[in-house]
Amino acid sequence: MPQFDFGINKALQPEIVYLGHEGTPLIIIDDFATDIDVLKHTAQQSNFQPDVNAYYPGLKAPLPKDYVGATLSTLYPLIYDIYQVPTQLRLKPQNLFFALINQTEDTLKTLQCMPHFDTSSGYYFAFLHYLNSQPHGSTGFFRHIPTGYERISDNRREHYFNCAQQFIDDHGSPKQQYFVKSDAHFELYYQVPYKANRLIIYPGNLLHSTIVDTTTDIDSSAVSGRLTANLFTSFI
């Protein structure tokens, strides 16, 4: 991956939204990069491939190291502050990639048709940077109606899975389509609109999903698709 000059807006103004009944902080930062076209051009030259080991419904390509370094070095103090991460824990990057959704609904597996969480760990965070122009689907956050859970922590994980399976046993599997609105199993309670050069940060144990617009988002092109830069980090 070639090196390039990546700049971050020095006048960042993070907005903190407290989500749902549990009041989990969500960080929203607009106008994150000083020149978003540099990052988009890098993505357009990247070799996107399907990830056979994950449930992401699309293609991935590696992020440039200098973008990762600049982003994390700028934002990690905010994570410690907003999420009260213990100071003895240190940031460890986990998964770092450009992403494009390209799976049609008739190819989705059952777990891809429901909101999900990335991990039940308490100190694992997702950084999601929207790169292309609108319109594209937002990021939605969900509440599991049978349990009332919005975050699936280690001590909730088994109960959540048992209750979710019981709901499916009683009512049947979800329809083979992207999950984009409330139903009897999950309530969509908050959305962050996709906006070019907006970066959001949230704990990975929040139930969430892309609110996929099948008319605009299922696109393998880094020029026109729902292009994001995804950084997942833990504190250990």
Side-chain angles (χ1 to χ4, degrees), residues 108-140:
L108 296 176
K109 300 175 183 177
T110 298
L111 289 179
Q112 293 174 309
C113 301
M114 301 168 59
H116 68 280
F117 62 100
D118 302 319
T119 174
S120 58
S121 170
Y123 297 114
Y124 185 101
F125 299 93
F127 300 64
L128 185 61
H129 191 183
Y130 304 134
L131 301 180
N132 276 341
S133 300
Q134 300 131 290
H136 285 295
S138 59
T139 301

Side-chain angles (χ1 to χ4, degrees), residues 208-228:
H208 62 279
S209 183
T210 301
I211 309 302
V212 176
D213 183 337
T214 57
T215 64
T216 60
D217 296 349
I218 301 174
D219 185 348
S220 299
S221 169
V223 174
S224 55
R226 189 184 183 278
L227 179 66
T228 57

Side-chain angles (χ1 to χ4, degrees), residues 8-22:
I8 294 175
N9 181 358
K10 297 184 183 301
L12 295 179
Q13 295 183 324
E15 175 188 1
I16 313 301
V17 177
Y18 294 91
L19 296 177
H21 298 326
E22 298 183 9

Side-chain angles (χ1 to χ4, degrees), residues 158-226:
E158 183 176 0
H159 184 230
Y160 167 72
F161 281 133
N162 289 340
C163 291
Q165 186 60 57
Q166 186 63 55
F167 186 95
I168 291 172
D169 292 343
D170 292 343
H171 301 279
S173 297
K175 294 180 180 179
Q176 192 179 26
Q177 60 189 27
Y178 286 106
F179 203 99
V180 298
K181 60 183 179 181
S182 300
D183 68 2
H185 198 187
F186 294 92
E187 177 187 355
L188 173 61
Y189 66 88
Y190 193 81
Q191 297 185 53
V192 182
Y194 184 106
K195 178 183 178 182
N197 208 15
R198 167 175 287 166
L199 185 145
I200 66 174
I201 305 171
Y202 55 89
N205 60 14
L206 276 168
L207 287 166
H208 62 279
S209 183
T210 301
I211 309 302
V212 176
D213 183 337
T214 57
T215 64
T216 60
D217 296 349
I218 301 174
D219 185 348
S220 299
S221 169
V223 174
S224 55
R226 189 184 183 278

